[in-house]
Amino acid sequence: MTSAQRLIIFDVDGTLVDSQRDIIAAMTRAFDGVGLPHPPHSDILSIVGLSLDVAMARLVPDAPEDQRVQMVHGYKDAYIALRAETGAALSSPLYAGAADTLAMLNAVPENILGVATGKSRRGLDKLLAAHGMEQLFLTQQVADFHPSKPHPSMIEAAMRDIGVGPAQTVMIGDTSFDMDMAKAAGVGAIGVSWGYHDISRLHAADRIVDSFPALDEALQDILGARV
C-alpha cells in the first residue's frame, strides 16, 4: 500500500454495532401506533440501512403517506425511549473485534476513518458518545442530509470532506444497500457476513469477510490494487 491517504468508510447498524433488538422493538411499536400488524423480523432487518421514509414505504407500500409519516415519528420516539432504558452501549453493543480493529486502523497515519449510516445525526451522536468514539471518524454522513442508500451521495460527500478520490476509498457494510452505494460511487466494497443481509445479497462486494481481523488483508488487497 502506498503512503497516500486512504478513506475507510463504515456502515454502523449491522456492521459496527448490533442494534437489531431495539430496531425490531421500535418498529413493532411504530406499527402498533397505527394499528397495523407487525411485519416479520426478517422483513424489518431487510430494510436496515435505508432512510426511515424509504424503509416505511417498502414495509407498507399501500399505506397512505400521512400514516407512513406517523410511523416514522413513532419509530424515532420508540427508539429513543428504548435506548434510554438501557443506554446505547448496551442496546447497540459493538460486534466482537470491532473496537480493536478500529483502533488498529486508526493508528495508521494514512488511514482516515468515516461512517455512512441511515441513522440520524442525533442517533449517531448518541451512539458514538456511548462507545467513546466521538473523535474516531473524521467524516460522518447521516440520513438527515442525504438521499437514502444506495444513492452515492454519502460516499461522495465523505470523499469531498477528506479530499480523496474513489481509488483511495472503500466502503464496509453488511447490506446490499452499502455494496450498491459503493459501486455507484466507484469505490471499493467490502461486505461483512455477520450483519442483517445474507451474504447472497452482497453480490456487488469486492470482498466478503467473516471477522474484523480479516478486514486488514481485504483492505490491503483492495486499496493496494486500486491506489
Side-chain angles (χ1 to χ4, degrees), residues 33 77 89 153 185 198:
D77 291 343
S153 175
D198 189 90

Side-chain angles (χ1 to χ4, degrees), residues 102-190:
L102 289 171
M104 179 270 294
L105 291 173
N106 193 51
V108 178
E110 293 80 16
N111 290 342
I112 307 297
L113 304 186
V115 291
T117 176
K119 284 185 174 297
S120 67
R121 176 78 269 171
R122 179 175 61 174
L124 180 63
D125 286 347
K126 292 285 189 182
L127 180 69
L128 294 182
H131 288 291
M133 299 191 301
E134 302 97 315
Q135 307 303 318
L136 185 62
F137 302 103
L138 296 190
T139 178
Q140 300 174 10
Q141 307 303 323
V142 296
D144 309 61
F145 311 115
H146 296 282
S148 179
K149 298 175 183 180
H151 193 284
S153 175
M154 289 188 186
I155 294 178
E156 291 169 347
M159 290 190 292
R160 288 195 300 271
D161 281 353
I162 305 304
V164 299
Q168 290 79 42
T169 303
V170 66
M171 177 72 202
I172 301 167
D174 69 304
T175 70
S176 61
F177 313 130
D178 298 312
M179 302 300 97
D180 292 342
M181 179 174 65
K183 291 298 116 176
V187 308
I190 298 176

Side-chain angles (χ1 to χ4, degrees), residues 82-94:
L82 288 162
R83 186 176 57 201
E85 291 173 8
T86 57
L90 292 178
S91 64
S92 296
L94 289 165

